[in-house]
């Protein structure tokens, strides 16, 4: 998505909602000449996945939606997101505004504000889990956000569009788009989600069934909003079964999912996360872990 990760460029003054994000995904798939794909959406990614499946149905083989949002943003969540953005805005001002304060004081102030951002984000995403996986991913995320979203008025505008406007301007997906979804849909509600209750997932389930989706399943598993971080075992099992159910004739498709902690998949992100303290061998919770924030002015 624009504004996130290593995606290049600014959004400018053009609209930026899930509809535009889905269009971007369609263009990427076209550029890469990808065949129809199984789509996994996490949190706001669920909304993009639904927009993609409804607007570009030939792109999608199945949907696995973990922690879907409410149809429109909840007032309590808007308040939380706004508060976090204000901390970010203050941090950016400290970084960009020359003052008589020493470099050490400016760095300390900016790190304190970034810590407030991380605390608020961590509460929403992982319930401020101190597991090695959660801490390293959040530390990496704040470093990327600092690079993408601070240092200039244009970057701060990008921060607003991605972290607030995208959520404030989104609207319920129209019924005529949901009727275009003709693939299996697995919805996962994580029971410790502090922002989006079970009713959000149940409402989505009902709308998809009413729209005629051929197979809709709702699962409830333990975990925070970002369940793929706090409970990957259960999330991966549902994803595996959703995908394999679409290919009954492929060798191995009938083999049940078995989680073995000794089998660790090395991903393109592993090396990056190691730089932020990730230990692939550590899978438990380290209650003494700290959310590290390192900013260079």
């Amino acid at each position: 998505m624009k504004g996130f990760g290593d995606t290049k460029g600014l959004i400018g003054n053009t609209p930026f909602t899930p509809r535009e994000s889905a269009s971007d995904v369609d263009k990427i798939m076209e550029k890469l000449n990808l065949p129809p794909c199984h789509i996994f959406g996490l949190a706001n990614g669920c909304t993009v996945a639904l927009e993609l499946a409804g607007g570009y149905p030939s792109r999608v083989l199945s949907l696995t939606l973990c922690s879907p949002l409410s149809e429109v943003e909840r007032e309590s969540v808007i308040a939380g997101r706004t508060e976090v953005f204000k901390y970010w805005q203050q941090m950016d001002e400290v970084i960009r505004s020359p003052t008589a304060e020493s470099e050490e004081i400016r760095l300390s102030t900016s790190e304190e504000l970034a810590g407030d951002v991380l605390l608020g984000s961590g509460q929403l995403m992982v319930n401020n889990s101190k597991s090695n996986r959660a801490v390293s991913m959040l530390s990496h995320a704040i470093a990327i956000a600092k690079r993408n979203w601070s240092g200039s008025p244009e970057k701060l505008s990008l921060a607003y569009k991605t972290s607030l406007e995208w959520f404030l301007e989104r609207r319920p997906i129209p019924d005529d788009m949901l009727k275009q979804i003709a693939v299996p849909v697995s919805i996962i509600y994580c029971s410790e989600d502090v922002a989006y209750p079970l009713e959000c997932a149940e409402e989505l389930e009902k709308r998809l069934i009413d729209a005629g989706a051929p197979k809709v399943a709702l699962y409830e598993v333990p975990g925070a909003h970002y369940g793929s971080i706090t409970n990957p075992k259960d999330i991966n099992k549902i994803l595996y079964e959703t995908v394999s159910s679409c290919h009954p004739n492929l060798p191995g498709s009938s083999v049940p999912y078995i989680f073995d902690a000794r089998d660790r998949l090395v991903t393109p992100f592993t090396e990056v996360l190691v730089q932020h303290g990730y230990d692939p061998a550590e899978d438990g919770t380290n209650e003494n872990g700290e959310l590290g924030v390192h900013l260079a002015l």
Side-chain angles (χ1 to χ4, degrees), residues 37-155:
C37 294
H38 297 281
I39 306 297
F40 177 87
L42 174 65
N44 52 327
C46 296
T47 310
V48 178
L50 288 164
E51 289 274 2
L52 180 70
Y56 312 91
S58 63
R59 296 290 190 197
V60 179
L61 288 178
S62 73
L63 294 174
T64 303
L65 309 175
C66 181
S67 300
L69 310 185
S70 50
E71 288 206 323
V72 296
E73 200 67 3
R74 297 159 58 87
E75 290 296 327
S76 59
V77 182
I78 291 174
R81 293 188 186 279
T82 301
E83 182 179 12
V84 169
F85 177 75
K86 286 180 178 178
Y87 283 129
W88 189 267
Q89 192 174 30
Q90 293 171 25
M91 184 206 72
D92 183 66
E93 289 174 357
V94 170
I95 292 175
R96 291 197 288 121
S97 302
T99 67
E101 295 177 334
S102 68
E103 184 87 356
E104 182 178 349
I105 293 176
R106 291 179 62 223
L107 180 59
S108 174
T109 302
S110 63
E111 287 191 344
E112 181 180 347
L113 289 167
D116 290 334
V117 171
L118 198 57
L119 185 66
S121 301
Q123 181 180 10
L124 168 64
M125 294 188 289
V126 296
N127 295 358
N128 282 327
S129 167
K130 298 300 189 293
S131 72
N132 177 254
R133 185 190 309 114
V135 169
S136 58
M137 286 188 175
L138 286 169
S139 296
H140 172 60
I142 200 74
I144 295 298
K146 188 259 179 180
R147 183 194 68 191
N148 291 354
W149 294 348
S150 70
S152 72
E154 293 78 15
K155 288 187 175 183

Side-chain angles (χ1 to χ4, degrees), residues 50-286:
L50 288 164
E51 289 274 2
L52 180 70
Y56 312 91
S58 63
R59 296 290 190 197
V60 179
L61 288 178
S62 73
L63 294 174
T64 303
L65 309 175
C66 181
S67 300
L69 310 185
S70 50
E71 288 206 323
V72 296
E73 200 67 3
R74 297 159 58 87
E75 290 296 327
S76 59
V77 182
I78 291 174
R81 293 188 186 279
T82 301
E83 182 179 12
V84 169
F85 177 75
K86 286 180 178 178
Y87 283 129
W88 189 267
Q89 192 174 30
Q90 293 171 25
M91 184 206 72
D92 183 66
E93 289 174 357
V94 170
I95 292 175
R96 291 197 288 121
S97 302
T99 67
E101 295 177 334
S102 68
E103 184 87 356
E104 182 178 349
I105 293 176
R106 291 179 62 223
L107 180 59
S108 174
T109 302
S110 63
E111 287 191 344
E112 181 180 347
L113 289 167
D116 290 334
V117 171
L118 198 57
L119 185 66
S121 301
Q123 181 180 10
L124 168 64
M125 294 188 289
V126 296
N127 295 358
N128 282 327
S129 167
K130 298 300 189 293
S131 72
N132 177 254
R133 185 190 309 114
V135 169
S136 58
M137 286 188 175
L138 286 169
S139 296
H140 172 60
I142 200 74
I144 295 298
K146 188 259 179 180
R147 183 194 68 191
N148 291 354
W149 294 348
S150 70
S152 72
E154 293 78 15
K155 288 187 175 183
L156 185 61
S157 174
L158 184 63
Y160 175 81
K161 280 188 166 290
T162 52
S163 63
L164 269 183
E165 182 182 293
W166 192 94
F167 295 92
L168 296 174
E169 296 299 323
R170 65 187 182 87
R171 296 293 180 265
I173 299 174
D175 289 337
D176 59 342
M177 287 188 66
L178 291 181
K179 289 178 180 179
Q180 300 302 312
I181 299 177
V183 297
V185 182
S186 293
I187 305 168
I188 306 172
Y189 168 69
C190 296
S191 61
E192 296 149 42
D193 193 325
V194 298
Y196 302 97
L198 176 60
E199 288 77 15
C200 298
E202 291 175 332
E203 184 176 15
L204 175 59
E205 177 192 32
K206 182 179 185 304
R207 289 200 65 202
L208 285 167
I209 291 173
D210 291 346
K215 181 180 179 182
V216 183
L218 173 59
Y219 302 86
E220 182 173 347
V221 302
H225 186 54
Y226 274 35
S228 54
I229 295 178
T230 60
N231 183 15
K233 177 181 177 181
D234 287 343
I235 305 298
N236 287 342
K237 181 176 186 294
I238 296 168
L239 173 60
Y240 173 88
E241 291 174 350
T242 302
V243 172
S244 61
S245 70
C246 298
H247 307 282
N249 296 322
L250 286 180
S253 61
S254 61
V255 177
Y257 175 85
I258 300 176
F259 174 79
D260 189 338
R262 295 171 298 179
D263 297 332
R264 299 191 179 278
L265 177 65
V266 177
T267 77
F269 307 104
T270 302
E271 184 177 347
V272 173
L273 291 175
V274 167
Q275 298 173 15
H276 292 271
Y278 177 58
D279 181 359
E282 181 184 342
D283 201 47
T285 298
N286 176 15

